[in-house]
Amino acid sequence: MCIFCDIIDHKIPSSVVYEDDEVLAILDISQVTFGHTLVMPKKHVDSALEADPETIARVFSAASVLGKKIKEKTGAVGVNLLANCGEAAGQTVPHMHVHVIPRYGVSDAIDIAFHPSEKKDLSEVLEKING
Ligand code: 5GP
Ligand code: ZN
């Protein structure tokens, strides 16, 4: 059982922002910021890491278009497009989705921060990824 598949099948109600044959975008129930939207493929896939390239293209393309529209309509000053892949990365619903999170500056209830870490030898990192 997948809660997002149930939403896609209209077994669970949702607030639909955009829909086509392959993609559904709904308001996130938590509304971390005003206009917070989830964009998902209609075909179940666990996360963006397992999705085929066409699905990735359709979902991220819709997220980009909606991010721009929502930013213009709400007066947000920025937008985060965010895909959590796996529980350790904060994914709580195992059906691929991209968060579209409009940003309003200091009054935001969201804080995405990169904390300083120990300096790494970049050639060692490259060797690990590409070697
Ligand atoms: P994740 O943590 O997996 O990246 O994001 C899952 C998101 O789905 C959360 O932000 C959560 O608020 C949202 N969510 C969970 N259940 C429902 C639901 O039944 N309806 C809607 N609209 N959003 C949901
Ligand atoms: Zn699903």
Side-chain angles (χ1 to χ4, degrees), residues 2-6 8 44-45 94-95:
C2 167
I3 191 167
F4 284 178
C5 282
D6 283 350
I8 289 158
H44 182 96
V45 62
H95 178 128

PDB file of all heavy atoms in Angstrom, residues 2-6 8 44-45 94-95, ligand 2:
ATOM      1  N   CYS A   2       0.530   2.213  -0.866  1.00  0.00           N
ATOM      2  CA  CYS A   2       1.316   3.443  -0.965  1.00  0.00           C
ATOM      3  C   CYS A   2       0.351   4.625  -0.915  1.00  0.00           C
ATOM      4  O   CYS A   2      -0.576   4.724  -1.720  1.00  0.00           O
ATOM      5  CB  CYS A   2       2.107   3.445  -2.279  1.00  0.00           C
ATOM      6  SG  CYS A   2       2.824   5.052  -2.683  1.00  0.00           S
ATOM      7  N   ILE A   3       0.579   5.518   0.028  1.00  0.00           N
ATOM      8  CA  ILE A   3      -0.350   6.633   0.247  1.00  0.00           C
ATOM      9  C   ILE A   3      -0.430   7.553  -0.977  1.00  0.00           C
ATOM     10  O   ILE A   3      -1.507   8.064  -1.313  1.00  0.00           O
ATOM     11  CB  ILE A   3       0.020   7.405   1.537  1.00  0.00           C
ATOM     12  CG1 ILE A   3      -1.079   8.373   1.925  1.00  0.00           C
ATOM     13  CG2 ILE A   3       1.338   8.113   1.423  1.00  0.00           C
ATOM     14  CD1 ILE A   3      -0.944   8.936   3.321  1.00  0.00           C
ATOM     15  N   PHE A   4       0.704   7.747  -1.671  1.00  0.00           N
ATOM     16  CA  PHE A   4       0.667   8.621  -2.852  1.00  0.00           C
ATOM     17  C   PHE A   4      -0.054   7.928  -4.022  1.00  0.00           C
ATOM     18  O   PHE A   4      -0.751   8.586  -4.788  1.00  0.00           O
ATOM     19  CB  PHE A   4       2.069   9.087  -3.236  1.00  0.00           C
ATOM     20  CG  PHE A   4       2.611  10.164  -2.324  1.00  0.00           C
ATOM     21  CD1 PHE A   4       3.899  10.669  -2.509  1.00  0.00           C
ATOM     22  CD2 PHE A   4       1.849  10.694  -1.291  1.00  0.00           C
ATOM     23  CE1 PHE A   4       4.406  11.670  -1.681  1.00  0.00           C
ATOM     24  CE2 PHE A   4       2.358  11.692  -0.447  1.00  0.00           C
ATOM     25  CZ  PHE A   4       3.630  12.173  -0.642  1.00  0.00           C
ATOM     26  N   CYS A   5       0.100   6.600  -4.160  1.00  0.00           N
ATOM     27  CA  CYS A   5      -0.673   5.877  -5.186  1.00  0.00           C
ATOM     28  C   CYS A   5      -2.163   6.013  -4.893  1.00  0.00           C
ATOM     29  O   CYS A   5      -2.967   6.184  -5.822  1.00  0.00           O
ATOM     30  CB  CYS A   5      -0.264   4.407  -5.241  1.00  0.00           C
ATOM     31  SG  CYS A   5       1.297   4.131  -6.125  1.00  0.00           S
ATOM     32  N   ASP A   6      -2.554   5.970  -3.620  1.00  0.00           N
ATOM     33  CA  ASP A   6      -3.969   6.145  -3.250  1.00  0.00           C
ATOM     34  C   ASP A   6      -4.450   7.556  -3.587  1.00  0.00           C
ATOM     35  O   ASP A   6      -5.595   7.747  -3.997  1.00  0.00           O
ATOM     36  CB  ASP A   6      -4.167   5.862  -1.758  1.00  0.00           C
ATOM     37  CG  ASP A   6      -4.158   4.365  -1.454  1.00  0.00           C
ATOM     38  OD1 ASP A   6      -4.185   3.571  -2.416  1.00  0.00           O
ATOM     39  OD2 ASP A   6      -4.124   3.995  -0.262  1.00  0.00           O
ATOM     40  N   ILE A   8      -3.161   9.407  -6.043  1.00  0.00           N
ATOM     41  CA  ILE A   8      -3.212   9.423  -7.521  1.00  0.00           C
ATOM     42  C   ILE A   8      -4.498   8.741  -8.015  1.00  0.00           C
ATOM     43  O   ILE A   8      -5.122   9.205  -8.974  1.00  0.00           O
ATOM     44  CB  ILE A   8      -1.937   8.747  -8.090  1.00  0.00           C
ATOM     45  CG1 ILE A   8      -0.726   9.641  -7.852  1.00  0.00           C
ATOM     46  CG2 ILE A   8      -2.097   8.410  -9.574  1.00  0.00           C
ATOM     47  CD1 ILE A   8       0.609   8.917  -7.870  1.00  0.00           C
ATOM     48  N   HIS A  44       4.168   4.298  -9.938  1.00  0.00           N
ATOM     49  CA  HIS A  44       4.946   4.169  -8.701  1.00  0.00           C
ATOM     50  C   HIS A  44       6.410   3.837  -8.972  1.00  0.00           C
ATOM     51  O   HIS A  44       6.734   2.919  -9.711  1.00  0.00           O
ATOM     52  CB  HIS A  44       4.369   3.073  -7.790  1.00  0.00           C
ATOM     53  CG  HIS A  44       5.136   2.965  -6.504  1.00  0.00           C
ATOM     54  ND1 HIS A  44       4.731   3.591  -5.345  1.00  0.00           N
ATOM     55  CD2 HIS A  44       6.324   2.365  -6.214  1.00  0.00           C
ATOM     56  CE1 HIS A  44       5.635   3.360  -4.397  1.00  0.00           C
ATOM     57  NE2 HIS A  44       6.612   2.615  -4.895  1.00  0.00           N
ATOM     58  N   VAL A  45       7.282   4.622  -8.335  1.00  0.00           N
ATOM     59  CA  VAL A  45       8.698   4.274  -8.255  1.00  0.00           C
ATOM     60  C   VAL A  45       9.151   4.798  -6.894  1.00  0.00           C
ATOM     61  O   VAL A  45       8.676   5.832  -6.424  1.00  0.00           O
ATOM     62  CB  VAL A  45       9.508   4.874  -9.428  1.00  0.00           C
ATOM     63  CG1 VAL A  45       9.482   6.388  -9.457  1.00  0.00           C
ATOM     64  CG2 VAL A  45      10.939   4.361  -9.424  1.00  0.00           C
ATOM     65  N   PRO A  94       7.709   6.496   0.491  1.00  0.00           N
ATOM     66  CA  PRO A  94       8.550   5.867  -0.534  1.00  0.00           C
ATOM     67  C   PRO A  94       7.878   5.791  -1.906  1.00  0.00           C
ATOM     68  O   PRO A  94       7.726   4.705  -2.488  1.00  0.00           O
ATOM     69  CB  PRO A  94       8.836   4.483   0.052  1.00  0.00           C
ATOM     70  CG  PRO A  94       7.675   4.195   0.933  1.00  0.00           C
ATOM     71  CD  PRO A  94       7.143   5.511   1.430  1.00  0.00           C
ATOM     72  N   HIS A  95       7.457   6.942  -2.411  1.00  0.00           N
ATOM     73  CA  HIS A  95       6.969   7.111  -3.790  1.00  0.00           C
ATOM     74  C   HIS A  95       7.635   8.410  -4.240  1.00  0.00           C
ATOM     75  O   HIS A  95       7.444   9.461  -3.600  1.00  0.00           O
ATOM     76  CB  HIS A  95       5.435   7.212  -3.791  1.00  0.00           C
ATOM     77  CG  HIS A  95       4.815   7.425  -5.144  1.00  0.00           C
ATOM     78  ND1 HIS A  95       3.803   6.628  -5.642  1.00  0.00           N
ATOM     79  CD2 HIS A  95       5.042   8.372  -6.105  1.00  0.00           C
ATOM     80  CE1 HIS A  95       3.436   7.056  -6.840  1.00  0.00           C
ATOM     81  NE2 HIS A  95       4.175   8.122  -7.140  1.00  0.00           N
TER      82      HIS A  95
HETATM   83 ZN    ZN B   2       3.096   4.799  -4.894  1.00  0.00          ZN
END
